[in-house]
PDB file of all heavy atoms in Angstrom:
ATOM      1  N   ARG A 706     117.754 121.077  75.415  1.00 75.00           N
ATOM      2  CA  ARG A 706     116.852 121.431  76.446  1.00 75.00           C
ATOM      3  C   ARG A 706     116.750 120.176  77.517  1.00 75.00           C
ATOM      4  O   ARG A 706     117.195 119.060  77.203  1.00 75.00           O
ATOM      5  CB  ARG A 706     115.389 121.601  75.979  1.00 75.00           C
ATOM      6  CG  ARG A 706     114.824 120.520  75.222  1.00 75.00           C
ATOM      7  CD  ARG A 706     113.511 120.958  74.596  1.00 75.00           C
ATOM      8  NE  ARG A 706     112.824 119.862  73.855  1.00 75.00           N
ATOM      9  CZ  ARG A 706     113.052 119.436  72.600  1.00 75.00           C
ATOM     10  NH1 ARG A 706     114.019 120.017  71.804  1.00 75.00           N
ATOM     11  NH2 ARG A 706     112.448 118.425  72.043  1.00 75.00           N
ATOM     12  N   ALA A 707     116.282 120.574  78.727  1.00 78.00           N
ATOM     13  CA  ALA A 707     116.044 119.456  79.699  1.00 78.00           C
ATOM     14  C   ALA A 707     114.681 118.895  79.403  1.00 78.00           C
ATOM     15  O   ALA A 707     113.749 119.599  78.782  1.00 78.00           O
ATOM     16  CB  ALA A 707     115.985 120.094  81.110  1.00 78.00           C
ATOM     17  N   PHE A 708     114.458 117.485  79.542  1.00 70.00           N
ATOM     18  CA  PHE A 708     113.280 116.963  79.183  1.00 70.00           C
ATOM     19  C   PHE A 708     112.924 115.850  80.240  1.00 70.00           C
ATOM     20  O   PHE A 708     113.533 114.827  80.376  1.00 70.00           O
ATOM     21  CB  PHE A 708     113.437 116.204  77.842  1.00 70.00           C
ATOM     22  CG  PHE A 708     112.181 115.600  77.286  1.00 70.00           C
ATOM     23  CD1 PHE A 708     111.004 116.360  77.187  1.00 70.00           C
ATOM     24  CD2 PHE A 708     112.091 114.249  77.081  1.00 70.00           C
ATOM     25  CE1 PHE A 708     109.806 115.778  76.767  1.00 70.00           C
ATOM     26  CE2 PHE A 708     110.889 113.602  76.435  1.00 70.00           C
ATOM     27  CZ  PHE A 708     109.834 114.456  76.415  1.00 70.00           C
ATOM     28  N   PHE A 709     111.843 116.161  80.985  1.00 73.00           N
ATOM     29  CA  PHE A 709     111.319 115.182  82.016  1.00 73.00           C
ATOM     30  C   PHE A 709     109.875 114.975  81.757  1.00 73.00           C
ATOM     31  O   PHE A 709     109.063 115.623  82.367  1.00 73.00           O
ATOM     32  CB  PHE A 709     111.496 115.832  83.350  1.00 73.00           C
ATOM     33  CG  PHE A 709     112.977 116.235  83.748  1.00 73.00           C
ATOM     34  CD1 PHE A 709     113.368 117.570  83.678  1.00 73.00           C
ATOM     35  CD2 PHE A 709     113.850 115.227  84.239  1.00 73.00           C
ATOM     36  CE1 PHE A 709     114.533 117.910  84.027  1.00 73.00           C
ATOM     37  CE2 PHE A 709     115.247 115.715  84.426  1.00 73.00           C
ATOM     38  CZ  PHE A 709     115.604 117.022  84.405  1.00 73.00           C
ATOM     39  N   PRO A 710     109.533 114.102  80.829  1.00 74.00           N
ATOM     40  CA  PRO A 710     108.116 113.879  80.448  1.00 74.00           C
ATOM     41  C   PRO A 710     107.307 113.346  81.780  1.00 74.00           C
ATOM     42  O   PRO A 710     107.870 112.712  82.653  1.00 74.00           O
ATOM     43  CB  PRO A 710     108.141 112.779  79.352  1.00 74.00           C
ATOM     44  CG  PRO A 710     109.449 112.069  79.647  1.00 74.00           C
ATOM     45  CD  PRO A 710     110.418 113.199  80.059  1.00 74.00           C
ATOM     46  N   PRO A 711     105.977 113.629  81.834  1.00 76.00           N
ATOM     47  CA  PRO A 711     105.214 113.160  82.999  1.00 76.00           C
ATOM     48  C   PRO A 711     105.442 111.677  83.121  1.00 76.00           C
ATOM     49  O   PRO A 711     105.402 110.858  82.197  1.00 76.00           O
ATOM     50  CB  PRO A 711     103.773 113.469  82.510  1.00 76.00           C
ATOM     51  CG  PRO A 711     103.920 114.735  81.672  1.00 76.00           C
ATOM     52  CD  PRO A 711     105.210 114.544  80.856  1.00 76.00           C
ATOM     53  N   GLY A 712     105.580 111.242  84.372  1.00 77.00           N
ATOM     54  CA  GLY A 712     105.849 109.811  84.747  1.00 77.00           C
ATOM     55  C   GLY A 712     107.293 109.463  85.000  1.00 77.00           C
ATOM     56  O   GLY A 712     107.656 108.571  85.529  1.00 77.00           O
ATOM     57  N   THR A 713     108.184 110.518  84.611  1.00 84.00           N
ATOM     58  CA  THR A 713     109.673 110.318  84.928  1.00 84.00           C
ATOM     59  C   THR A 713     109.893 110.545  86.331  1.00 84.00           C
ATOM     60  O   THR A 713     109.317 111.401  86.975  1.00 84.00           O
ATOM     61  CB  THR A 713     110.397 111.410  84.100  1.00 84.00           C
ATOM     62  OG1 THR A 713     110.289 111.177  82.798  1.00 84.00           O
ATOM     63  CG2 THR A 713     111.872 111.291  84.303  1.00 84.00           C
ATOM     64  N   ARG A 714     110.809 109.761  86.903  1.00 87.00           N
ATOM     65  CA  ARG A 714     111.267 109.896  88.367  1.00 87.00           C
ATOM     66  C   ARG A 714     112.688 110.373  88.456  1.00 87.00           C
ATOM     67  O   ARG A 714     113.551 110.014  87.565  1.00 87.00           O
ATOM     68  CB  ARG A 714     110.988 108.568  89.068  1.00 87.00           C
ATOM     69  CG  ARG A 714     109.559 108.116  89.129  1.00 87.00           C
ATOM     70  CD  ARG A 714     109.400 106.698  89.733  1.00 87.00           C
ATOM     71  NE  ARG A 714     109.370 106.767  91.171  1.00 87.00           N
ATOM     72  CZ  ARG A 714     110.398 106.200  91.858  1.00 87.00           C
ATOM     73  NH1 ARG A 714     111.396 105.652  91.294  1.00 87.00           N
ATOM     74  NH2 ARG A 714     110.345 106.297  93.228  1.00 87.00           N
ATOM     75  N   SER A 715     112.897 111.059  89.437  1.00 92.00           N
ATOM     76  CA  SER A 715     114.425 111.566  89.646  1.00 92.00           C
ATOM     77  C   SER A 715     114.620 111.600  91.147  1.00 92.00           C
ATOM     78  O   SER A 715     113.750 112.003  91.944  1.00 92.00           O
ATOM     79  CB  SER A 715     114.551 112.959  89.104  1.00 92.00           C
ATOM     80  OG  SER A 715     115.934 113.372  89.269  1.00 92.00           O
ATOM     81  N   PRO A 716     115.794 111.163  91.639  1.00 94.00           N
ATOM     82  CA  PRO A 716     116.012 111.044  93.122  1.00 94.00           C
ATOM     83  C   PRO A 716     115.928 112.435  93.801  1.00 94.00           C
ATOM     84  O   PRO A 716     116.246 113.424  93.236  1.00 94.00           O
ATOM     85  CB  PRO A 716     117.496 110.623  93.236  1.00 94.00           C
ATOM     86  CG  PRO A 716     117.662 110.021  91.951  1.00 94.00           C
ATOM     87  CD  PRO A 716     116.856 110.644  90.893  1.00 94.00           C
ATOM     88  N   LEU A 717     115.351 112.485  95.045  1.00 96.00           N
ATOM     89  CA  LEU A 717     115.125 113.659  95.660  1.00 96.00           C
ATOM     90  C   LEU A 717     116.425 114.475  95.962  1.00 96.00           C
ATOM     91  O   LEU A 717     116.452 115.798  95.868  1.00 96.00           O
ATOM     92  CB  LEU A 717     114.533 113.332  97.106  1.00 96.00           C
ATOM     93  CG  LEU A 717     113.042 112.778  97.110  1.00 96.00           C
ATOM     94  CD1 LEU A 717     112.679 112.542  98.557  1.00 96.00           C
ATOM     95  CD2 LEU A 717     112.105 113.950  96.539  1.00 96.00           C
ATOM     96  N   HIS A 718     117.485 113.935  96.367  1.00 96.00           N
ATOM     97  CA  HIS A 718     118.703 114.650  96.694  1.00 96.00           C
ATOM     98  C   HIS A 718     119.467 115.202  95.602  1.00 96.00           C
ATOM     99  O   HIS A 718     120.335 116.079  95.827  1.00 96.00           O
ATOM    100  CB  HIS A 718     119.613 113.687  97.595  1.00 96.00           C
ATOM    101  CG  HIS A 718     120.348 112.734  96.630  1.00 96.00           C
ATOM    102  ND1 HIS A 718     119.724 111.582  96.136  1.00 96.00           N
ATOM    103  CD2 HIS A 718     121.608 112.503  96.215  1.00 96.00           C
ATOM    104  CE1 HIS A 718     120.650 110.924  95.389  1.00 96.00           C
ATOM    105  NE2 HIS A 718     121.825 111.479  95.434  1.00 96.00           N
ATOM    106  N   SER A 719     119.072 114.886  94.309  1.00 96.00           N
ATOM    107  CA  SER A 719     119.862 115.297  93.230  1.00 96.00           C
ATOM    108  C   SER A 719     118.988 115.992  92.189  1.00 96.00           C
ATOM    109  O   SER A 719     119.306 116.158  91.003  1.00 96.00           O
ATOM    110  CB  SER A 719     120.619 114.164  92.540  1.00 96.00           C
ATOM    111  OG  SER A 719     119.829 113.196  92.030  1.00 96.00           O
ATOM    112  N   SER A 720     117.889 116.506  92.613  1.00 96.00           N
ATOM    113  CA  SER A 720     117.023 117.304  91.620  1.00 96.00           C
ATOM    114  C   SER A 720     116.513 118.548  92.331  1.00 96.00           C
ATOM    115  O   SER A 720     116.420 118.639  93.721  1.00 96.00           O
ATOM    116  CB  SER A 720     115.677 116.343  91.381  1.00 96.00           C
ATOM    117  OG  SER A 720     114.962 116.122  92.398  1.00 96.00           O
ATOM    118  N   GLY A 721     116.139 119.547  91.572  1.00 97.00           N
ATOM    119  CA  GLY A 721     115.739 120.746  92.054  1.00 97.00           C
ATOM    120  C   GLY A 721     114.429 120.654  92.940  1.00 97.00           C
ATOM    121  O   GLY A 721     114.344 121.101  94.081  1.00 97.00           O
ATOM    122  N   ILE A 722     113.447 120.035  92.314  1.00 97.00           N
ATOM    123  CA  ILE A 722     112.132 119.943  93.033  1.00 97.00           C
ATOM    124  C   ILE A 722     112.268 119.020  94.286  1.00 97.00           C
ATOM    125  O   ILE A 722     111.720 119.260  95.415  1.00 97.00           O
ATOM    126  CB  ILE A 722     111.033 119.227  92.110  1.00 97.00           C
ATOM    127  CG1 ILE A 722     110.693 120.412  91.074  1.00 97.00           C
ATOM    128  CG2 ILE A 722     109.822 118.892  92.944  1.00 97.00           C
ATOM    129  CD1 ILE A 722     109.611 119.818  90.014  1.00 97.00           C
ATOM    130  N   GLY A 723     113.093 117.969  94.119  1.00 97.00           N
ATOM    131  CA  GLY A 723     113.365 117.109  95.269  1.00 97.00           C
ATOM    132  C   GLY A 723     113.877 117.783  96.419  1.00 97.00           C
ATOM    133  O   GLY A 723     113.462 117.563  97.608  1.00 97.00           O
ATOM    134  N   LYS A 724     114.869 118.606  96.265  1.00 98.00           N
ATOM    135  CA  LYS A 724     115.596 119.316  97.331  1.00 98.00           C
ATOM    136  C   LYS A 724     114.691 120.433  97.857  1.00 98.00           C
ATOM    137  O   LYS A 724     114.714 120.677  99.136  1.00 98.00           O
ATOM    138  CB  LYS A 724     116.905 119.914  96.864  1.00 98.00           C
ATOM    139  CG  LYS A 724     118.037 118.862  96.521  1.00 98.00           C
ATOM    140  CD  LYS A 724     119.429 119.580  96.475  1.00 98.00           C
ATOM    141  CE  LYS A 724     119.532 120.461  95.483  1.00 98.00           C
ATOM    142  NZ  LYS A 724     120.987 121.083  95.465  1.00 98.00           N
ATOM    143  N   ALA A 725     113.887 121.020  97.024  1.00 98.00           N
ATOM    144  CA  ALA A 725     112.935 121.970  97.469  1.00 98.00           C
ATOM    145  C   ALA A 725     111.850 121.347  98.489  1.00 98.00           C
ATOM    146  O   ALA A 725     111.393 121.760  99.534  1.00 98.00           O
ATOM    147  CB  ALA A 725     112.072 122.650  96.405  1.00 98.00           C
ATOM    148  N   LEU A 726     111.400 120.091  98.123  1.00 97.00           N
ATOM    149  CA  LEU A 726     110.607 119.429  98.985  1.00 97.00           C
ATOM    150  C   LEU A 726     111.181 118.901 100.322  1.00 97.00           C
ATOM    151  O   LEU A 726     110.585 118.989 101.409  1.00 97.00           O
ATOM    152  CB  LEU A 726     109.978 118.135  98.273  1.00 97.00           C
ATOM    153  CG  LEU A 726     108.955 118.410  96.980  1.00 97.00           C
ATOM    154  CD1 LEU A 726     108.653 117.172  96.383  1.00 97.00           C
ATOM    155  CD2 LEU A 726     107.633 119.208  97.492  1.00 97.00           C
ATOM    156  N   LEU A 727     112.375 118.452 100.244  1.00 97.00           N
ATOM    157  CA  LEU A 727     113.108 118.050 101.401  1.00 97.00           C
ATOM    158  C   LEU A 727     113.325 119.196 102.379  1.00 97.00           C
ATOM    159  O   LEU A 727     113.320 119.186 103.551  1.00 97.00           O
ATOM    160  CB  LEU A 727     114.414 117.318 101.061  1.00 97.00           C
ATOM    161  CG  LEU A 727     114.446 115.979 100.541  1.00 97.00           C
ATOM    162  CD1 LEU A 727     115.874 115.698 100.037  1.00 97.00           C
ATOM    163  CD2 LEU A 727     113.872 114.955 101.519  1.00 97.00           C
ATOM    164  N   ALA A 728     113.659 120.399 101.765  1.00 97.00           N
ATOM    165  CA  ALA A 728     113.864 121.619 102.542  1.00 97.00           C
ATOM    166  C   ALA A 728     112.790 121.903 103.475  1.00 97.00           C
ATOM    167  O   ALA A 728     112.986 122.568 104.443  1.00 97.00           O
ATOM    168  CB  ALA A 728     114.278 122.815 101.598  1.00 97.00           C
ATOM    169  N   TYR A 729     111.550 121.705 102.958  1.00 96.00           N
ATOM    170  CA  TYR A 729     110.361 122.043 103.691  1.00 96.00           C
ATOM    171  C   TYR A 729     109.660 120.797 104.248  1.00 96.00           C
ATOM    172  O   TYR A 729     108.349 120.999 104.566  1.00 96.00           O
ATOM    173  CB  TYR A 729     109.419 122.963 102.858  1.00 96.00           C
ATOM    174  CG  TYR A 729     110.002 124.286 102.529  1.00 96.00           C
ATOM    175  CD1 TYR A 729     110.805 124.557 101.374  1.00 96.00           C
ATOM    176  CD2 TYR A 729     109.808 125.328 103.466  1.00 96.00           C
ATOM    177  CE1 TYR A 729     111.395 125.740 101.159  1.00 96.00           C
ATOM    178  CE2 TYR A 729     110.309 126.625 103.117  1.00 96.00           C
ATOM    179  CZ  TYR A 729     111.132 126.804 102.027  1.00 96.00           C
ATOM    180  OH  TYR A 729     111.697 128.060 101.772  1.00 96.00           O
ATOM    181  N   ALA A 730     110.242 119.756 104.207  1.00 94.00           N
ATOM    182  CA  ALA A 730     109.665 118.617 104.866  1.00 94.00           C
ATOM    183  C   ALA A 730     109.571 118.600 106.335  1.00 94.00           C
ATOM    184  O   ALA A 730     110.359 119.355 107.004  1.00 94.00           O
ATOM    185  CB  ALA A 730     110.463 117.265 104.436  1.00 94.00           C
ATOM    186  N   ALA A 731     108.616 117.801 106.919  1.00 91.00           N
ATOM    187  CA  ALA A 731     108.445 117.675 108.441  1.00 91.00           C
ATOM    188  C   ALA A 731     109.817 117.247 109.004  1.00 91.00           C
ATOM    189  O   ALA A 731     110.491 116.318 108.380  1.00 91.00           O
ATOM    190  CB  ALA A 731     107.421 116.920 108.769  1.00 91.00           C
ATOM    191  N   PRO A 732     110.267 117.656 110.102  1.00 92.00           N
ATOM    192  CA  PRO A 732     111.597 117.297 110.748  1.00 92.00           C
ATOM    193  C   PRO A 732     111.615 115.767 110.789  1.00 92.00           C
ATOM    194  O   PRO A 732     112.712 115.229 110.487  1.00 92.00           O
ATOM    195  CB  PRO A 732     111.531 117.789 112.089  1.00 92.00           C
ATOM    196  CG  PRO A 732     110.706 119.042 112.018  1.00 92.00           C
ATOM    197  CD  PRO A 732     109.636 118.684 110.967  1.00 92.00           C
ATOM    198  N   ASP A 733     110.665 115.093 111.241  1.00 91.00           N
ATOM    199  CA  ASP A 733     110.648 113.584 111.358  1.00 91.00           C
ATOM    200  C   ASP A 733     110.927 112.966 110.059  1.00 91.00           C
ATOM    201  O   ASP A 733     111.602 111.974 109.778  1.00 91.00           O
ATOM    202  CB  ASP A 733     109.412 113.006 112.065  1.00 91.00           C
ATOM    203  CG  ASP A 733     109.344 113.351 113.499  1.00 91.00           C
ATOM    204  OD1 ASP A 733     110.412 113.713 114.088  1.00 91.00           O
ATOM    205  OD2 ASP A 733     108.283 113.209 114.163  1.00 91.00           O
ATOM    206  N   ALA A 734     110.140 113.531 108.988  1.00 91.00           N
ATOM    207  CA  ALA A 734     110.196 112.828 107.697  1.00 91.00           C
ATOM    208  C   ALA A 734     111.633 113.085 107.164  1.00 91.00           C
ATOM    209  O   ALA A 734     112.137 112.249 106.480  1.00 91.00           O
ATOM    210  CB  ALA A 734     109.164 113.561 106.693  1.00 91.00           C
ATOM    211  N   LEU A 735     112.219 114.271 107.424  1.00 93.00           N
ATOM    212  CA  LEU A 735     113.597 114.568 106.809  1.00 93.00           C
ATOM    213  C   LEU A 735     114.588 113.664 107.589  1.00 93.00           C
ATOM    214  O   LEU A 735     115.530 113.156 106.955  1.00 93.00           O
ATOM    215  CB  LEU A 735     113.972 116.006 107.059  1.00 93.00           C
ATOM    216  CG  LEU A 735     115.279 116.475 106.656  1.00 93.00           C
ATOM    217  CD1 LEU A 735     115.482 116.214 105.135  1.00 93.00           C
ATOM    218  CD2 LEU A 735     115.506 117.913 106.938  1.00 93.00           C
ATOM    219  N   ARG A 736     114.563 113.526 108.926  1.00 92.00           N
ATOM    220  CA  ARG A 736     115.397 112.602 109.549  1.00 92.00           C
ATOM    221  C   ARG A 736     115.321 111.140 109.036  1.00 92.00           C
ATOM    222  O   ARG A 736     116.396 110.502 108.924  1.00 92.00           O
ATOM    223  CB  ARG A 736     115.115 112.663 111.123  1.00 92.00           C
ATOM    224  CG  ARG A 736     115.672 113.910 111.821  1.00 92.00           C
ATOM    225  CD  ARG A 736     115.591 113.716 113.311  1.00 92.00           C
ATOM    226  NE  ARG A 736     114.252 113.796 113.834  1.00 92.00           N
ATOM    227  CZ  ARG A 736     113.557 114.781 114.069  1.00 92.00           C
ATOM    228  NH1 ARG A 736     114.295 116.077 114.082  1.00 92.00           N
ATOM    229  NH2 ARG A 736     112.304 114.775 114.664  1.00 92.00           N
TER     230      ARG A 736
END
């Protein structure tokens, strides 16, 4: 199984949640 206990960090560009957040980020923040 996948295991990401609370407190674990993962880069935005290579994680599911990270890319979901980037996809809906404000244009300035994404740039």
Side-chain angles (χ1 to χ4, degrees):
R706 60 187 184 274
F708 185 56
F709 304 102
T713 300
R714 299 172 79 249
S715 184
L717 290 173
H718 73 288
S719 60
S720 65
I722 290 179
K724 292 199 296 179
L726 292 174
L727 287 175
Y729 291 91
D733 287 347
L735 182 57
R736 280 193 291 270

